[in-house]
Amino acid sequence: MTTFSIRPARTHDVRAIQGLIEPLVNERILLGKDLVVFYEAVQEFRVAVAPDGSVIGCGALHVMWQDLAEVRTLAVASEWLGTGVGHALLDQIEADARALGLERLFCLTFETAFFARHGFEPVEDEIVDPTVFAQLALSPDEGVAEFLDLSRVKPNTLGNTRMLKHL
């Protein structure tokens, strides 16, 4: 069996990350991002790397509040699906969240069974109290707007399930 490793993303991985998620953007599974956004967030990403050095998976941890972060842009190259790459990336992201002292992880996903296997549960209720909601609403980040379920991003999130895990 071919092995892979997980490591922090580097700036030279950004184009590979964008290429990895492009098919998922075209299928409207993930939201597209400009290249500059990936560079600005490179420190949030972990990548899975094949023995030949190619990036075969990615995922990001985006801190939103003192106790809360979002799992973002979790993707695996199609030829590596079912090999444990996604699970290894999510395990690393959860470990990173714990190391930061976070207590909850959020995701907005179509892959509900995958996240459920990792202890995420669908949520309908508000995840933050009104004071925190007001502060988060000040963020220019589109992902935060999606988390808040703001009306301006509703067309982007149709069909996605909001899921939460307590660490």
Side-chain angles (χ1 to χ4, degrees):
M1 179 173 166
T2 308
T3 60
F4 58 89
S5 59
I6 306 290
R7 65 165 170 77
R10 302 174 185 138
T11 55
H12 71 264
D13 297 323
V14 166
R15 290 186 189 274
I17 291 169
Q18 188 180 43
L20 189 65
I21 72 154
E22 185 121 349
L24 300 171
V25 170
N26 292 337
E27 293 177 43
R28 298 183 50 87
I29 293 170
L30 290 177
L31 287 178
K33 295 180 175 110
D34 292 322
L35 199 55
V36 67
V37 175
F38 286 113
Y39 281 114
E40 289 173 343
V42 71
Q43 71 280 359
E44 297 181 358
F45 275 87
R46 294 292 180 259
V47 291
V49 181
D52 68 1
S54 61
V55 173
I56 58 169
C58 64
L61 176 70
H62 182 77
V63 175
M64 299 173 75
W65 201 250
Q66 177 179 338
D67 66 333
L68 178 68
E70 180 181 6
V71 176
R72 289 187 173 178
T73 321
L74 188 60
V76 176
S78 59
E79 62 274 15
W80 283 85
L81 289 173
T83 64
V85 172
H87 292 287
L89 282 163
L90 186 53
D91 287 346
Q92 182 61 58
I93 289 167
E94 287 185 21
D96 294 343
R98 285 185 180 92
L100 288 171
L102 296 164
E103 298 169 6
R104 301 180 297 161
L105 279 179
F106 166 81
C107 67
L108 186 63
T109 185
F110 290 106
E111 300 295 333
T112 55
F114 171 83
F115 281 97
R117 286 193 297 276
H118 283 268
F120 285 77
E121 296 179 353
V123 289
E124 297 290 331
D125 301 330
E126 290 304 318
I127 298 171
V128 295
D129 68 44
T131 304
V132 173
F133 185 98
Q135 284 294 308
L136 290 174
L138 299 173
S139 174
D141 186 285
E142 285 298 301
V144 173
E146 290 170 346
F147 166 77
L148 297 175
D149 207 23
L150 299 180
S151 59
R152 68 182 168 84
V153 295
K154 291 257 191 221
N156 295 335
T157 61
L158 291 177
N160 283 355
T161 299
R162 297 160 57 86
M163 299 184 80
L164 188 70
K165 178 177 183 173
H166 293 271
L167 299 176

